[in-house]
Amino acid sequence: MDLSKLRINGARLRTSLEEMAKIGATPNGGVQRLTLSDEDKRARDLFVKWLKEIDLAVTIDEMGNIFGRRPGTEDNLPPVMSGSHVDSQPKGGRFDGILGVMGALEVMRTLHENKVKTRHPMMIVDWTNEEGSRFAPAMVSSGVWAGVLERDYAYGRTDINGKKFGEELVRIGYKGPAPAAKWPVHAYYEYHIEQGPMLEGQKKTIGAPKGILCLHWYDIYLTGEANQVGPTPMEGRHDALCAAAEMILATNRLPDRMGGNIVATVGEIQNKPNSRNIIPDGVHFTVDIRSWDDDHAIKAWEHLKIDLQEIAARRGTPIRIDETWRCPHAPFAERLVQRVLDTAGELGYSSLHMVSGAGHDASYMNQVCPTAMIFVPSIGGRSHVEVENTAWSDCEAGANVLLHCLLKTADEH
Ligand code: GLV
Ligand code: MN
Ligand code: MN
């Protein structure tokens, strides 16, 4: 058969995405499938069932990463891999992560039903805890698999209720027997929604990022002095929330101060005891700094850190700072990025060479093997929200680009 004519089944891809979107569906059309939750387990169970239906050999490793392997005609060659994640943000969308997993599954189904043989074996993967929202940091399981993060460090991470990653992994039945340790990989492609406004703004169908920004995460803990809000004079208060408020605005101003090329965000905050008539005495908040330039991001942090310490000292709210995670920027393999652009052109889709501001497991895979990503437009540039949406025709287009990138790469010598 002329493989250049081969196409994935867009209707089947849509049905798979719709089935997955029922797991953890939220009232406003999104999904909440936090990592290692009951919903994550249900999505994994369905995914594994679908892998087995097309005769893929399923392996689950000690981080709960799920792999499905399709043999190659030269089966001892390193596999070509593709996948993403099935976990979501709280009140997240129906496409982030799951599109890359269902897209790769749709490619595998297409190869299976057409009895296509490839030289290299092919593997599909669902990485555990890409989001890092329940357990920081993000992309932790591709990080362990790649040999960058420690397994026991990951197991010991706790969520806001004190539950441990390792215990939750066992609880949902996905602590597998295989070691979470990299093997030689020929190439990795991750298919994903863009999560930003560029493709839609420029009316392009396919995005080929040249790489991913660095992600630097910090956790800030402030201690104040609680007291009755009525009788306590304004002078002399040690209000941890007011200190945090100043710090949040300092974070928001940081990119301007650094002359751009950076984004900085406080996205999560806990305030104690969180009562309207008690002066807050304990605040935790997060800082997320991203840039293409790691040194620039670190320099920005050094400036911000001094500001945070100054604010804490002035307000009498002792500060503890954890430098939680630094994932360096990931410049992808130019040959594969070009292949994504070329393949889009061959299939008749417009394309854009761009950059990924969102983090992806492709960042850690980039440290293991040649890596690239395929993006499709996010309607309104919205993501990590319930209204996150992508046209079905674009979902199909991206999966066709993935199919042909994988076919070309899996036949390489
Ligand atoms: C992952 O979703 C990230 O970009 O934070
Ligand atoms: Mn994602
Ligand atoms: Mn995400």
Side-chain angles (χ1 to χ4, degrees):
M1 116 179 251
D2 178 4
L3 285 184
S4 69
K5 299 270 183 315
L6 193 65
R7 295 292 181 271
I8 61 95
N9 181 334
R12 185 170 57 193
L13 173 60
R14 174 177 175 167
T15 304
S16 311
L17 286 163
E18 286 176 338
E19 280 302 303
M20 279 290 180
K22 291 180 188 162
I23 304 176
T26 57
N28 299 313
V31 297
Q32 176 152 322
R33 214 159 42 225
L34 296 181
T35 197
L36 308 184
S37 63
D38 293 349
E39 291 76 23
D40 185 14
K41 175 191 163 39
R42 282 168 52 214
R44 288 161 173 269
D45 290 349
L46 182 57
F47 176 56
V48 169
K49 173 171 159 289
W50 284 343
L51 294 181
K52 290 183 174 162
E53 277 171 14
I54 52 169
D55 302 330
L56 298 177
V58 176
T59 302
I60 299 168
D61 75 15
E62 57 193 346
M63 289 299 292
N65 297 319
I66 302 172
F67 304 91
R69 187 178 189 281
R70 185 172 194 273
T73 53
E74 294 178 39
D75 206 34
N76 54 346
L77 290 178
V80 176
M81 288 176 63
S82 183
S84 195
H85 58 100
V86 309
D87 69 318
S88 86
Q89 290 284 324
K91 292 202 178 149
R94 291 171 298 144
F95 295 89
D96 178 0
I98 196 69
L99 176 63
V101 181
M102 293 299 101
L105 175 69
E106 178 50 40
V107 168
M108 293 290 207
R109 284 172 166 167
T110 302
L111 300 180
H112 182 74
E113 72 189 354
N114 289 280
K115 301 188 174 48
V116 176
K117 291 193 187 325
T118 58
R119 198 166 167 263
H120 288 259
M122 275 199 197
M123 286 184 93
I124 178 171
V125 56
D126 161 37
W127 300 109
T128 299
N129 187 27
E130 188 275 350
E131 294 291 1
S133 175
R134 180 177 179 199
F135 298 102
M139 294 131 59
V140 71
S141 305
S142 55
V144 171
W145 189 84
V148 180
L149 301 173
E150 293 289 332
R151 184 197 62 179
D152 291 338
Y153 159 78
Y155 284 171
R157 305 302 294 170
T158 51
D159 72 5
I160 195 174
N161 300 312
K163 293 251 164 55
K164 280 202 159 50
F165 180 106
E167 287 162 13
E168 286 294 276
L169 187 59
V170 171
R171 185 188 68 80
I172 68 160
Y174 273 90
K175 182 171 174 182
K182 66 181 169 191
W183 51 73
V185 179
H186 185 63
Y188 177 75
Y189 290 93
E190 185 161 343
Y191 173 32
H192 208 278
I193 52 167
E194 179 201 341
Q195 311 189 269
M198 299 286 288
L199 290 172
E200 188 181 68
Q202 301 204 28
K203 299 197 173 26
K204 305 288 189 198
T205 304
I206 300 295
K210 65 172 183 172
I212 303 178
L213 303 186
C214 72
L215 276 76
H216 296 175
W217 282 10
Y218 306 96
D219 284 85
I220 317 299
Y221 300 87
L222 299 169
T223 306
E225 188 176 78
N227 213 341
Q228 225 298 11
V229 300
T232 310
M234 296 308 289
E235 304 82 60
R237 290 186 178 197
H238 303 291
D239 184 328
L241 191 56
C242 285
E246 269 198 60
M247 294 177 187
I248 291 166
L249 289 177
T251 305
N252 183 250
R253 282 193 295 266
L254 187 63
D256 250 1
R257 190 172 151 201
M258 296 302 296
N261 295 324
I262 192 172
V263 288
T265 310
V266 174
E268 181 182 345
I269 184 165
Q270 280 97 37
N271 174 54
K272 288 185 191 151
N274 214 28
S275 167
R276 72 176 69 205
N277 40 12
I278 304 177
I279 296 168
D281 70 346
V283 172
H284 161 238
F285 68 92
T286 59
V287 175
D288 173 311
I289 297 179
R290 304 185 188 202
S291 174
W292 184 254
D293 181 342
D294 293 71
D295 292 340
H296 189 55
I298 290 171
K299 203 182 292 166
W301 165 248
E302 295 301 338
H303 284 303
L304 182 63
K305 194 163 140 182
I306 292 168
D307 280 2
L308 303 188
Q309 283 161 337
E310 181 275 313
I311 295 165
R314 177 163 41 75
R315 287 192 171 267
T317 54
I319 186 169
R320 191 185 102 218
I321 295 174
D322 287 355
E323 302 191 343
T324 304
W325 181 51
R326 282 184 184 157
C327 181
H329 92 289
F332 290 154
E334 283 173 25
R335 188 176 66 84
L336 296 192
V337 176
Q338 192 57 47
R339 174 163 285 167
V340 173
L341 293 166
D342 293 344
T343 304
E346 286 156 20
L347 297 178
Y349 305 126
S350 56
S351 62
L352 184 70
H353 190 229
M354 54 187 301
V355 72
S356 175
H360 303 285
D361 294 295
S363 239
Y364 283 129
M365 284 308 281
N366 195 54
Q367 299 188 26
V368 173
C369 64
T371 292
M373 291 190 75
I374 298 161
F375 281 176
V376 285
S378 293
I379 295 175
R382 304 284 309 278
S383 183
H384 281 185
V385 288
E386 290 170 288
V387 299
E388 177 182 281
N389 202 2
T390 290
W392 295 118
S393 56
D394 289 340
C395 294
E396 181 175 346
N400 275 321
V401 173
L402 178 66
L403 167 70
H404 285 282
C405 287
L406 289 174
L407 279 176
K408 288 175 193 171
T409 309
D411 273 337
E412 280 173 347
H413 283 269

